[in-house]
Amino acid sequence: DLHRLIRRQRQMCIRDSTESMKGLQKATQTITRISDEMQRNVMEMRMVPVRNVFQKFPRIVRDISRKTGKKVDIILQGEDTEIDKGIAEDIGDPLVHIIRNAVDHGIESPGVRLEAGKPERGTVILKAAHEGNFIVIDIIDDGTGIDRDVILDKALEKGMIEPEKVTGMSREEIFNLIFMPGFSTAGEVTDVSGRGVGMDVVRTNLNKLKGNVRVTSDFGQGTHVRLEVPLTLALIEAMLVGVGAVSYTHLTLPTN
C-alpha cells in the first residue's frame, strides 16, 4: 500500500545517503593521506644541515683573533642537525654578531688569561640540537663573562634605563640590556666592535623568526647565549568551502 511504499523509499534514501557518506569519508581520508605525504616531502626538501651555517665561523674567529692578538679555538658540535633552509639563511647574521662579541668582548688576551689561571687559548663552543619543534643553538665561551655593573653603568650613561628601576632588576633583565639598540661597552670604534650595532640585531632577527634568545653569564668564567628558533617555517592549515559562486576560507592558525 501507499504507506509501505513510502517507508521503503525512505529506507532506500537512508541507505543511499549512508553509502554516499562512507564514500565521501573514504575519499577524504585518501586526500588527507596524500596531502600529508606531500607536505612531509616538501618540508624534507627544505631541510639542510646546520653545517651550512656553521662552516664560515672558524674563518671569522681566526680573522678576529689575528686582529685582536688573541688565541681562540672554536669547537663546532651538532653540525648534522637539520633546519629549514629559510631559517638557516636568516639565522646567519645573528650568529655572526654573537661570535664576534664572544671573541672581541668575551675572550681575554693570552696574558690576562694566564694571570687568571686559565689556559692561554680561549674557547668558543658553537653547537646545535633539536628540542621538540625547535632547534637550539648554544654559543658558549670561557672568557671574562658579563660584568653586571658595567652593563648597568653604560645603560644609565646612555639613558636607556631610569636610576630608580635599577634596584628591582634581576640578573636576566640586566643581561637583556645588551640587546637594546645602540648599546655597546667598547671603548673605541674598530672594524670589530664599538659601532653601536650588533646585539640588537640578534633580538630583532630572532623576533622575526618567532624565536627567542637568552643570556646567562658568570663574571670571570664565561658567557652562554642560547638561541631557540622554530625547526621549520610555520604552517597554516586551511579549508576552502564553496557555495555557488562564493568561496569561504577557514584558517587554523599556528599556536606558536
Side-chain angles (χ1 to χ4, degrees):
D1 58 10
L2 180 59
H3 292 292
R4 185 179 303 170
L5 179 61
I6 292 175
R7 186 166 56 252
R8 185 181 304 165
Q9 290 291 335
R10 183 181 300 167
Q11 292 173 347
M12 290 178 62
C13 288
I14 293 174
R15 185 170 60 252
D16 291 344
S17 298
T18 301
E19 292 299 323
S20 297
M21 286 300 298
K22 289 181 179 179
L24 180 60
Q25 290 176 348
K26 185 176 181 180
T28 301
Q29 292 172 353
T30 301
I31 293 174
T32 300
R33 185 175 65 254
I34 294 173
S35 62
D36 287 346
E37 184 176 349
M38 288 178 61
Q39 176 179 303
R40 285 194 300 270
N41 291 338
V42 170
M43 298 315 300
E44 288 176 0
M45 291 173 60
R46 291 189 56 87
M47 302 301 284
V48 297
V50 77
R51 178 186 298 107
N52 296 352
V53 182
F54 283 8
Q55 62 186 0
K56 63 182 177 182
F57 291 110
R59 178 184 56 81
I60 291 177
V61 170
R62 286 195 303 270
D63 290 345
I64 300 176
S65 299
R66 186 171 58 253
K67 292 176 181 178
T68 59
K70 298 178 180 180
K71 298 180 180 180
V72 186
D73 294 323
I74 183 169
I75 300 174
L76 306 181
Q77 300 176 352
E79 297 176 81
D80 292 331
T81 304
E82 292 190 331
I83 188 173
D84 184 276
K85 181 179 179 181
I87 293 179
E89 294 173 352
D90 291 336
I91 202 67
D93 284 344
L95 284 176
V96 168
H97 289 297
I98 296 173
I99 295 295
R100 289 168 69 96
N101 271 7
V103 178
D104 189 37
H105 292 290
I107 302 297
E108 310 95 329
S109 62
V112 173
R113 290 182 63 83
L114 290 174
E115 289 180 2
K118 294 182 177 181
E120 185 180 28
R121 303 186 66 87
T123 301
V124 176
I125 299 175
L126 177 60
K127 63 179 181 180
H130 287 157
E131 289 190 6
N133 292 325
F134 286 81
I135 179 172
V136 175
I137 300 178
D138 293 299
I139 307 92
I140 307 169
D141 69 71
D142 65 346
T144 188
I146 299 177
D147 188 334
R148 62 184 299 278
D149 293 331
V150 172
I151 298 296
L152 284 174
D153 291 343
K154 186 61 65 172
L156 289 169
E157 176 187 327
K158 291 180 174 292
M160 293 179 172
I161 56 174
E162 298 176 0
E164 58 270 19
K165 293 184 178 181
V166 172
T167 304
M169 294 184 69
S170 65
R171 283 171 56 86
E172 182 177 356
E173 290 173 332
I174 294 173
F175 291 154
N176 281 338
L177 292 174
I178 67 176
F179 295 108
M180 298 186 70
F183 186 91
S184 176
T185 58
E188 59 181 349
V189 177
T190 68
D191 59 350
V192 177
S193 64
R195 294 164 292 172
V197 296
M199 295 302 284
D200 60 305
V201 174
V202 173
R203 171 154 290 178
T204 298
N205 287 12
L206 264 294
N207 288 339
K208 290 180 181 178
L209 294 174
K210 295 184 179 180
N212 186 37
V213 55
R214 291 185 294 170
V215 178
T216 56
S217 181
D218 291 319
F219 187 60
Q221 302 300 317
T223 300
H224 181 177
V225 181
R226 166 165 285 203
L227 307 183
E228 298 176 350
V229 295
L231 183 61
T232 185
L233 297 176
L235 300 177
I236 298 179
E237 296 183 359
M239 179 175 64
L240 296 177
V241 179
V243 179
V246 181
S247 295
Y248 299 90
T249 304
H250 172 73
L251 298 180
T252 302
L253 299 178
T255 58
N256 61 340

